[in-house]
Amino acid sequence: MGGCREAQALPTVGGVNPSTNVSNSIRALRFAHGEMTQSALGATIGVSRQTIMAIEQGRYSPSLEMAFQIAKAFALPLDAVFRYNDPEL
């Protein structure tokens, strides 16, 4: 694997990311898995603590590969960690 492992920055408006309808349960899952730190999760998948924090807060959107790696770290399927919130439903 090569290339940059950090997540892509997304603009926010009032703390809400208007360019994505994806949410996640990473924070809750970290605490359900022995109060795993952001640093520990980041080390597991090869990114910084700051990247994990930004993904949790919706300020960054992980690549598809990174999303799968996060789900794998919790031994869960992707849709148990990330959700697409369809505004038309």
Side-chain angles (χ1 to χ4, degrees), residues 16-61:
V16 176
N17 183 343
S19 62
T20 185
N21 291 316
V22 177
S23 61
N24 69 73
S25 302
I26 296 171
R27 182 176 168 81
L29 289 167
R30 284 192 302 103
F31 282 92
H33 285 77
E35 296 191 19
M36 178 189 295
T37 65
Q38 292 171 335
S39 295
L41 178 56
T44 298
I45 66 165
V47 299
S48 69
R49 175 193 66 79
Q50 290 85 354
T51 296
I52 298 300
M53 179 177 62
I55 294 168
E56 285 182 2
Q57 295 174 349
R59 293 187 297 118
Y60 289 88
S61 184

